[in-house]
């Protein structure tokens, strides 16, 4: 069947899946109970952008009964997905949960999807503290005891008392102002913000976490990421109705945060998240998409987390990098189906194209290091595991300004004395030259070429697979090896 087209601003708004790219993959055309008819049921979570909706050949439209679920100041309401509500409740950078369908038998190559429900999912609301302007666009602050980092992909807006929005910047924010933060936890337990919204309507403080040390009806310890504090909740409303707070519950609490040593939180409402959001939980075999930061990874593709979701990527295809680039603290999108409590991934997409530099470091300062002739920024999010001697490997990404931002510094063995660069190709002559990170490298005599499976291939086969970065292509990811101080590569390998 073909899904009915409904032209509303919202489902143009859900380029959401920037997030999830809700394309059919697996699923076999099974209609999931509660997911509607004529398509494969799907649930997803990730950050959204407003604009036209077309990603991974999927066009998204609202179902005739599509609802936006709003949860603010502890009150849950559902409103119709109309243009006014869409513009008010769905903004750039928001983390959203989505439930709907994808067309499993499209009449054309253009796959369509329908959404039944969407829910914005902030990480925290509260007063900004300890605002700090960092380096290379990595700025930070605290809210409700949580350390928040922003970068060049973070959206900033001001929300007036009447609910109108104005684009602002990090510099426009000040300590003690109320902010709403969307994003995800990294492996160090920090919030990496995709959106920071200054709120002038004096909302309740709001934070999530896992319950421990429960004194029923009185208090508990709330832990989320790197922060823990005591929550007192005598007389607080617990939802859904009839639910109880128990140790191990993942909850969202509303009330008042009080900084101090230690900090405390006085709750007026406690939501049991697993029960409140049960309709957004995937059914067995259902299509599932999740965007977030990798944690719990120990070189085992069968077991790690993306956000809070257990993932098995042992059979996944990787885009924007390879399995070797998977590491704790790296942001990815996992796509696949739900099975026995895990997302069995058919695809892992790196949200930032992976840049790798290897070689002897030079010119290191507190804010940058030069490796393989390239300068990488060292920021407050850089995980420095380099021993201080020998070859260094820099893992990171290229930001919107073209600067390389190091996410991790580590020891790099081997290499045969050669430098290594992995990056997107921005130009090529189609036979011997590759431009990476602004530098053009040419093939040395006898240069060896490899495909994505490390099989040796001809130069013509290699360059036939190379597409330079453009408005319509992210560029082919390649890895080259070359002697330090030269621009002649001896090996070139396709990475995706």
């Amino acid at each position: 069947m073909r899904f009915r087209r409904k032209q509303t601003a919202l489902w143009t708004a859900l380029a959401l899946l920037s997030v999830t790219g809700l394309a059919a993959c697996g699923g076999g055309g099974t209609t999931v109970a509660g997911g509607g008819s004529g398509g494969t049921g799907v649930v997803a979570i990730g950050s959204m952008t407003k604009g036209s909706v077309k990603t991974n050949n999927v066009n998204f439209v609202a179902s005739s009964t599509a609802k936006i679920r709003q949860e603010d100041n502890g009150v849950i309401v559902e409103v119709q997905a109309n243009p006014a509500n869409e513009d008010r409740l769905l903004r750039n950078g928001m983390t959203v949960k989505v439930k709907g369908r994808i067309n499993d038998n499209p009449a054309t190559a253009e796959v369509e999807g329908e959404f039944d429900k969407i829910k914005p999912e902030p990480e925290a609301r509260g007063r900004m503290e300890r605002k700090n302007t960092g380096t290379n666009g990595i700025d930070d602050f605290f809210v409700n005891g949580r350390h928040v980092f922003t970068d060049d992909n973070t959206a900033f807006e001001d929300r007036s008392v009447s609910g109108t929005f104005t684009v602002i910047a990090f510099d426009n924010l000040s300590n003690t102002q109320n902010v709403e933060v969307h994003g995800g936890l990294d492996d160090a337990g920090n919030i990496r913000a995709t959106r920071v919204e200054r709120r002038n309507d004096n909302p309740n403080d709001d934070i999530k976490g896992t319950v421990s040390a429960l004194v029923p009806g009185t208090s508990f310890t709330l832990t989320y990421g790197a922060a823990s504090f005591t929550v007192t909740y005598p007389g607080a409303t617990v939802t859904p109705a009839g639910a109880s707070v128990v140790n191990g519950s993942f909850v969202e609490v509303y009330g008042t945060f009080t900084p101090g040593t230690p900090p405390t939180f006085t709750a007026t409402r406690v939501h049991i998240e697993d029960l409140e959001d049960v309709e957004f939980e995937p059914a067995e075999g259902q299509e599932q998409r999740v965007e977030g930061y990798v944690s719990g990874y120990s070189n085992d593709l069968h077991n790690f987390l993306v956000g809070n979701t257990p993932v098995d990527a042992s059979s996944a295809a990787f885009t924007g990098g390879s399995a070797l680039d998977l590491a704790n603290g790296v942001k990815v999108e996992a796509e696949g189906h739900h099975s026995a409590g895990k997302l069995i991934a058919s695809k892992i997409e790196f949200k930032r194209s992976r840049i790798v530099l290897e070689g002897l470091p030079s010119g290191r300062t507190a804010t940058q290091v030069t490796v393989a002739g390239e300068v990488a920024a060292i920021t407050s999010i850089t995980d420095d595991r380099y021993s201080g001697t020998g070859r260094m490997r820099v893992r990171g990404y290229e930001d919107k300004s073209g600067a390389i931002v190091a996410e991790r510094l580590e020891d790099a063995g081997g290499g045969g004395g050669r430098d290594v660069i992995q990056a997107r190709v921005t130009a090529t002559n189609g036979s011997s030259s590759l431009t990476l990170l602004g530098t053009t490298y040419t093939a040395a005599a006898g240069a060896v070429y490899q495909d994505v499976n490390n099989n040796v291939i001809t130069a013509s086969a290699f360059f036939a697979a190379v597409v330079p970065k453009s408005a319509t292509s992210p560029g082919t990811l390649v890895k080259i090896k070359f002697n330090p101080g030269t621009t002649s590569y001896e090996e070139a390998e396709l990475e995706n």
Side-chain angles (χ1 to χ4, degrees):
M1 66 163 282
R2 299 288 289 167
F3 286 126
R4 181 181 59 82
R5 294 181 180 271
K6 177 183 177 184
Q7 299 302 324
T8 66
L10 162 65
W11 312 113
T12 15
L14 284 166
L16 163 24
L17 304 171
S18 330
V19 234
T20 57
L22 295 176
C25 98
T30 302
T31 299
V32 176
S37 61
T40 301
V42 66
V43 295
I45 184 168
S47 58
M48 65 165 280
T49 56
K50 297 169 75 71
S52 77
V53 182
K54 190 169 184 178
T55 180
N56 289 2
N57 284 327
V58 181
N59 271 346
F60 299 106
V61 296
S63 72
S64 59
T65 58
K67 296 290 181 67
I68 304 171
R69 180 169 180 161
Q70 182 185 19
E71 188 172 319
D72 206 1
N73 288 336
V75 178
I76 300 173
V77 295
E78 290 186 356
V79 299
Q80 189 69 32
N82 59 45
N85 287 333
E86 294 153 15
D87 188 64
R88 177 173 61 92
L89 299 176
L90 298 169
R91 308 293 301 178
N92 285 333
M94 282 186 170
T95 301
V96 290
K97 290 182 176 179
V98 177
K99 182 180 75 170
R101 289 166 303 287
I102 50 178
N103 193 334
D104 59 324
N105 188 25
T108 72
E110 187 177 86
V111 181
E112 291 182 336
E114 270 193 334
F115 291 88
D116 295 320
K117 193 164 291 186
I118 181 171
K119 178 193 176 190
E121 192 74 16
E123 288 295 317
R125 296 186 188 100
R127 289 173 296 281
M128 174 179 277
E129 300 177 81
R130 291 178 271 176
K131 178 189 174 187
N132 175 61
T133 300
T135 59
N136 290 88
I138 309 297
D139 304 316
D140 65 292
F141 60 93
F142 284 78
V143 61
N144 295 348
R146 269 59 175 176
H147 202 170
V148 180
F149 289 90
T150 68
D151 61 24
D152 61 323
N153 278 337
T154 306
F156 296 90
E157 283 194 311
D158 176 84
R159 173 177 171 175
S160 71
V161 173
S162 62
T164 59
F165 294 89
T166 305
V167 174
I168 58 174
F170 182 81
D171 290 344
N172 298 121
L173 299 169
S174 300
N175 288 327
T176 75
Q177 291 180 339
N178 285 308
V179 293
E180 175 176 304
V181 179
H182 289 254
L185 285 185
D186 64 18
D187 63 314
N190 305 310
I191 298 175
R192 303 285 285 276
T194 54
R195 175 180 178 83
V196 178
E197 179 182 307
R198 181 170 62 195
R199 294 190 51 163
N200 298 288
D201 55 343
N202 195 32
N204 286 344
D205 294 338
D206 170 9
I207 199 69
K208 303 172 185 176
T210 302
V211 173
S212 64
L214 175 68
V215 180
T218 301
S219 67
F220 54 84
T221 297
L222 189 73
T223 301
Y224 194 39
S228 295
F229 49 76
T230 298
V231 175
T232 57
Y233 73 113
T237 300
V238 178
T239 58
S244 299
V245 180
V246 298
N247 285 323
S249 296
F250 187 72
V251 301
E252 186 169 10
V253 294
Y254 300 83
T256 302
F257 175 78
T258 303
T261 308
T264 58
F265 196 105
T266 303
T268 56
R269 287 180 177 267
V270 181
H271 289 180
I272 313 300
E273 285 287 281
D274 291 343
L275 299 179
E276 290 282 10
D277 289 349
V278 66
E279 63 186 318
F280 290 99
E281 293 297 320
E284 186 71 11
Q286 189 173 13
E287 293 289 319
Q288 185 179 12
R289 308 285 185 271
V290 61
E291 176 192 78
Y293 289 89
V294 173
S295 63
Y297 181 66
S298 57
N299 296 317
D300 181 1
L301 291 176
H302 294 83
N303 294 291
F304 61 94
L305 296 176
V306 176
N308 293 322
T309 301
V311 173
D312 180 340
S314 56
S315 299
F318 288 80
T319 63
S322 71
L324 295 176
D325 297 307
L326 197 65
N328 290 323
V330 172
K331 191 175 186 179
V332 301
E333 175 188 331
E335 303 180 5
H337 67 277
H338 185 77
S339 177
K342 278 189 177 182
L343 193 165
I344 308 301
S346 57
K347 177 182 176 182
I348 298 290
E349 177 185 349
F350 293 93
K351 302 309 292 182
R352 298 269 201 173
S353 182
R354 308 312 300 158
I355 289 177
V356 177
L357 311 173
E358 291 183 16
L360 290 173
S362 62
R364 179 169 181 174
T365 68
T367 58
Q368 65 181 43
V369 63
T370 300
V371 175
E374 298 291 342
V375 177
I378 299 173
T379 75
S380 50
I381 65 169
T382 303
D383 181 6
D384 188 354
R385 302 188 181 190
Y386 178 59
S387 65
T389 59
R391 289 166 54 83
M392 175 188 286
R393 180 181 298 113
V394 178
R395 296 187 183 274
Y397 63 87
E398 191 174 12
D399 69 14
K400 292 178 180 178
S401 72
I404 301 170
V405 178
E407 292 180 304
R408 177 174 293 188
L409 309 178
E410 59 191 21
D411 293 321
R418 291 173 297 180
D419 286 351
V420 175
I421 292 178
Q422 174 182 292
R424 297 280 183 183
V425 174
T426 54
T428 176
N429 67 358
S431 61
S432 62
S433 72
L434 298 164
T435 300
L436 307 175
L437 303 175
T439 300
T440 299
Y441 298 85
T442 56
V448 175
Y449 298 91
Q450 295 179 316
D451 64 15
V452 293
N453 296 313
N454 299 319
N455 298 314
V456 175
I457 58 176
T458 64
S460 59
F462 177 89
F463 281 97
V466 172
V467 179
K469 185 177 181 179
S470 67
T472 58
S473 171
T476 303
L477 191 69
V478 304
K479 180 185 292 184
I480 62 170
K481 296 181 181 180
F482 57 99
N483 289 321
T486 73
T487 56
S488 296
Y489 63 86
E490 297 179 332
E491 294 183 26
E493 178 183 323
L494 297 171
E495 292 297 308
N496 70 348

